[in-house]
Amino acid sequence: MKEKMEKPAGNFLENIHKEDYLAPYQTKKLKGLMLSGSRDKESLNGVWHFGIDQYDNCLRAKFFEENYYDDMGRAYPLDYSFDTWETIQVPSCWNLASEYLFLYEGSLVYTRKFRYQRHDKNERVFLRFGGAAYVAYVFVNQKFVGFHEGASTPFEVEVTELLRDENRIVVVVNNTRKRTNVPCENTDWFNYGGLYRDVEILRVPETFIKDFSVTLNPDGNGIRATVKVDGVIGNGTAMLKISELDFAGEINITDGKGEASFLVKPKLWSPENPKLYDYSLEYLEDKVSDRIGFREIKVVGTDIYLNGEPILLKGICAHEDSVFNGKAVTEAEIRENYRLAKEMNCNYMRLAHYPHSEQAAIIADEMGIMLWEEIPVYWAIEFENEAVYDNAENQLTELITRDKNRASVIIWSVGNENVDTDVRLHFMSRLAKKAKALDPARLVSAACLYDGEALVINDRLSEFIDIIGINEYFGWYQPDFSQLIRLFENSKPTKPVVICETGADARSYHRGPKDDLMTEDNQLYVYQRQIEVLSQIPYVKGISPWILFDFRCPRRLHSLQNYLNLKGLLSADKSHKKLAFYAMKEFFARWGE
Ligand code: GCB
């Protein structure tokens, strides 16, 4: 009897009493590699089955093992039926898939079958997830293969040994907000859940290119490539080719790693001329190809230089959100955001507050928009918790690994609006150092708070970052506007300051006197006063108001807001431009002229 009870489907009593059921699944953490955009992929997007698993019964009772019969051949009573469950489209946010899932926070079990045929006897196969919000537990053919934490970065898992002709994949995705998550339970955006980015199969040779970066040489002479390979043959020669430059260069690989500089002179990428080159990188039987731009970004004193020229960052913030698709934004929606930003005379966008889709930087490269990319070290996460640090650092590493070859990305942000305490300083300075170590070719910043009592910019994190990002809401949360002027008079920063947020709520078409909150007229008035002050401050080298379009936000309960943050310069569906949009457009046209 006892032995029977330990079998997966017959262990009813054991399962319902086992409160540490998650522990065994949290041992194998999946990480993001660099098996990205540039390889051939087989898509696992499309129709999946799902079960809403509020009580986590899939993980407790191990549905994924698919034990249908006991040793005597008698059927177990089952609490699931994978292939007759309802269906959902992957990628998508489940919240928008049906009305009853709109506010759901918990586990959803996704499953589908797929066929696989080996092409080469030595091939290795990886499953790649572009993003799963917030944690994902992955099972292939009845085996647990690992879990990933963090809603917005990609991860891969090797499944070479597990695949058969016909395969079953089960993914338990859970979006429960928690104090110990990054971000923690309290944010100012909607908590979407699901497999909301591409799910793919990648085939690579036995030894494959696992990581590479190609950048301008820091000394200004030519380009530099670094390569890491994974597999059995760690010594050899990799070949980098950029056909438009008539260039082919060898990189010696020793013990899986190699690095080389080449005297090539590419035309430089800039928002005005977003020049990209096709390149390929080969090692033994493996080949990756992609497009790349070359540019130099640096800070000297309080100035930011792009390709040796001082620049102003004329920007706008954006969430990864859409009325129709939630976080599962389409390429067309990303393009539309950049088009609108360009219409407003922007050359730059802050992708708040977490890594946006991989396509965001690919399209920005092509359209010529400089980017600030960020990890969700947002508000009051548990800075004193080392596991929280590891999670944040992993999200940063996965983001940098994914986007480090995108010319458009000029800034890594290590967080937003975190109070300047000792534990936070320790936590975020480590992240800033990590970002620099992983990618010396970009600037590091964070959206900091000013000292509201002394009215001065003096966040201790400034020492560790290249650009001081400041969020300030004078005219909105702080009605005394004269304090904004005092703030700047009192501050003597030695690095460039970027106003990475400022703004005011306005409901589209709601008009009234300029002092009436939530009217477009009031929002315009706040913008006009901000522009008047900010344009006079010599060390303010960038502005990205909050925010391009209104977005879903459960914290916004006023009837005029109707669960939207209304600080957009456009309505949530982007069909309406508010008055302040035109004020920013006019200001950016003349700022710095
Ligand atoms: C902020 C936050 C942002 C909010 C915004 C607001 O400072 O960084 O996430 O949405 O203010 O609207 O209050």
Side-chain angles (χ1 to χ4, degrees):
M1 179 66 184
K2 178 147 193 313
E3 225 193 290
K4 275 248 152 67
M5 279 173 48
E6 273 164 12
K7 286 205 183 293
N11 58 358
F12 178 73
L13 278 181
E14 189 192 332
N15 289 338
I16 58 177
H17 292 300
K18 202 168 176 191
E19 279 318 311
D20 65 346
Y21 68 96
L22 278 181
Y25 300 115
Q26 288 172 339
T27 50
K28 190 170 180 215
K29 287 196 187 184
L30 302 180
K31 305 263 169 173
L33 304 170
M34 176 125 205
L35 296 171
S36 60
S38 55
R39 292 173 181 277
D40 287 343
K41 293 163 273 184
E42 290 150 70
S43 176
L44 290 184
N45 292 345
V47 176
W48 290 52
H49 291 275
F50 76 96
I52 303 169
D53 192 7
Q54 270 189 300
Y55 293 178
D56 252 353
N57 210 19
C58 176
L59 298 178
R60 288 173 186 270
K62 304 193 174 86
F63 291 177
F64 53 86
E65 287 189 343
E66 293 189 85
N67 275 303
Y68 297 128
Y69 302 101
D70 70 11
D71 296 346
M72 311 286 289
R74 290 171 301 209
Y76 282 125
L78 298 179
D79 291 324
Y80 63 95
S81 56
F82 288 154
D83 298 318
T84 56
W85 277 351
E86 275 183 80
T87 58
I88 189 167
Q89 197 67 28
V90 171
S92 74
C93 296
W94 68 55
N95 317 74
L96 301 175
S98 82
E99 232 170 84
Y100 58 84
L101 280 171
F102 186 63
L103 293 176
Y104 180 61
E105 295 187 328
S107 283
L108 206 87
V109 185
Y110 286 79
T111 185
R112 67 163 283 170
K113 290 180 177 166
F114 64 94
R115 297 196 65 79
Y116 163 75
Q117 262 195 331
R118 192 166 287 266
H119 292 165
D120 181 293
K121 72 173 179 5
N122 288 329
E123 79 185 9
R124 293 171 67 180
V125 188
F126 289 79
L127 272 177
R128 179 173 202 267
F129 296 83
Y134 169 86
V135 283
Y137 302 86
V138 185
F139 306 88
V140 174
N141 293 337
Q142 295 77 48
K143 295 267 177 331
F144 172 57
V145 296
F147 100 109
H148 181 263
E149 185 171 13
S152 311
T153 42
F155 55 95
E156 287 96 358
V157 57
E158 183 163 7
V159 291
T160 313
E161 302 303 328
L162 290 176
L163 294 188
R164 312 188 282 246
D165 289 351
E166 173 147 303
N167 304 277
R168 153 91 62 203
I169 174 167
V170 175
V171 188
V172 178
V173 182
N174 187 302
N175 72 334
T176 307
R177 288 170 299 115
K178 286 191 184 150
R179 183 78 198 92
T180 50
N181 285 355
V182 180
C184 67
E185 77 281 41
N186 186 30
T187 70
D188 199 38
W189 65 86
F190 193 87
N191 180 31
Y192 292 109
L195 290 178
Y196 71 99
R197 291 188 186 148
D198 295 334
V199 183
E200 297 159 331
I201 294 179
L202 293 153
R203 298 170 194 251
V204 294
E206 199 173 16
T207 298
F208 65 94
I209 300 163
K210 185 179 162 191
D211 193 17
F212 56 95
S213 69
V214 188
T215 54
L216 280 184
N217 235 331
D219 66 6
N221 254 334
I223 63 170
R224 187 170 62 163
T226 55
V227 181
K228 281 186 197 149
V229 303
D230 183 295
V232 286
I233 310 172
N235 295 323
T237 306
M239 178 70 83
L240 176 66
K241 287 186 188 158
I242 306 174
S243 53
E244 199 183 326
L245 294 171
D246 267 336
F247 165 75
E250 293 186 347
I251 305 152
N252 287 329
I253 306 292
T254 314
D255 296 332
K257 282 187 206 149
E259 188 172 323
S261 287
F262 306 101
L263 284 174
V264 197
K265 243 189 162 328
K267 285 206 184 95
L268 300 184
W269 182 98
S270 69
E272 299 73 39
N273 179 22
K275 174 69 193 151
L276 297 175
Y277 292 92
D278 287 318
Y279 73 96
S280 68
L281 181 67
E282 289 175 48
Y283 183 68
L284 304 174
E285 288 162 30
D286 197 20
K287 179 172 175 176
V288 287
S289 47
D290 207 342
R291 299 172 86 196
I292 193 158
F294 298 95
R295 53 105 196 89
E296 185 209 47
I297 187 85
K298 68 176 182 196
V299 155
V300 180
T302 57
D303 284 309
I304 307 170
Y305 289 83
L306 177 73
N307 302 329
E309 299 287 329
I311 47 156
L312 293 173
L313 303 179
K314 302 179 180 185
I316 185 76
C317 295
H319 260 294
E320 184 174 53
D321 193 11
S322 122
V323 176
F324 314 101
N325 300 306
K327 273 178 78 59
V329 293
T330 61
E331 274 189 46
E333 287 171 321
I334 297 170
R335 281 180 196 279
E336 176 66 355
N337 293 348
Y338 293 147
R339 194 195 60 72
L340 287 160
K342 287 194 149 211
E343 188 183 326
M344 219 171 82
N345 293 316
C346 293
N347 58 13
Y348 159 78
M349 196 180 272
R350 173 182 178 204
L351 303 184
H353 282 298
Y354 39 73
H356 290 208
S357 145
E358 188 166 6
Q359 289 302 319
I362 295 174
I363 297 171
D365 265 17
E366 184 199 305
M367 290 180 68
I369 288 275
M370 293 179 282
L371 294 179
W372 156 307
E373 293 200 336
E374 185 161 312
I375 52 165
V377 173
Y378 184 87
W379 289 353
I381 65 160
E382 266 194 6
F383 290 112
E384 62 283 9
N385 183 334
E386 202 49 32
V388 170
Y389 179 80
D390 290 346
N391 178 1
E393 192 187 275
N394 185 52
Q395 294 191 41
L396 178 71
T397 306
E398 287 175 339
L399 171 63
I400 294 179
T401 306
R402 190 191 74 178
D403 284 356
K404 68 182 167 202
N405 288 325
R406 305 286 171 219
S408 53
V409 182
I410 55 165
I411 297 171
W412 303 122
S413 162
V414 293
N416 180 78
E417 282 186 355
N418 323 92
V419 177
D420 186 2
T421 60
D422 290 350
V423 276
R424 173 270 195 176
L425 181 64
H426 180 61
F427 189 106
M428 291 184 67
S429 59
R430 276 198 287 168
L431 286 178
K433 285 181 206 157
K434 181 75 185 178
K436 290 232 152 271
L438 289 171
D439 182 7
R442 283 183 181 75
L443 306 174
V444 176
S445 189
C448 300
L449 296 167
Y450 55 87
D451 178 337
E453 272 175 25
L455 276 182
V456 64
I457 297 171
N458 61 3
D459 189 313
R460 288 177 292 165
L461 188 64
S462 306
E463 189 190 328
F464 301 91
I465 54 184
D466 303 302
I467 289 184
I468 306 169
I470 290 290
N471 290 357
E472 53 86 2
Y473 281 90
F474 288 96
W476 184 251
Y477 293 122
Q478 284 83 23
D480 182 356
F481 208 82
S482 65
Q483 291 189 342
L484 179 62
I485 300 165
R486 294 225 313 277
L487 173 73
F488 289 125
E489 279 168 0
N490 294 345
S491 305
K492 302 269 170 301
T494 52
K495 296 180 178 179
V497 168
V498 166
I499 302 300
C500 38
E501 281 181 39
T502 184
D505 278 50
R507 187 182 164 114
S508 291
Y509 303 107
H510 185 44
R511 301 294 304 268
K514 65 179 174 21
D515 290 325
D516 270 14
L517 300 186
M518 293 210 217
T519 59
E520 286 196 33
D521 307 70
N522 177 258
Q523 187 189 46
L524 174 65
Y525 183 50
V526 171
Y527 269 74
Q528 285 166 336
R529 289 196 299 173
Q530 284 282 348
I531 288 169
E532 204 179 306
V533 176
L534 297 180
S535 58
Q536 301 303 314
I537 312 301
Y539 54 76
V540 169
K541 292 295 151 74
I543 305 176
S544 57
W546 192 252
I547 186 172
L548 186 59
F549 49 87
D550 297 344
F551 58 96
R552 283 198 182 93
C553 185
R555 293 176 71 252
R556 307 298 176 170
L557 280 67
H558 191 287
S559 60
L560 282 175
Q561 294 170 317
N562 197 20
Y563 307 101
L564 290 175
N565 182 313
L566 294 181
K567 293 193 186 64
L569 294 177
L570 298 156
S571 56
D573 66 3
K574 301 173 206 165
S575 64
H576 174 67
K577 295 186 179 96
K578 303 181 196 175
L579 299 175
F581 177 95
Y582 299 100
M584 262 340 266
K585 177 177 171 162
E586 187 273 324
F587 167 59
F588 279 154
R590 66 180 159 85
W591 191 29
E593 295 300 309

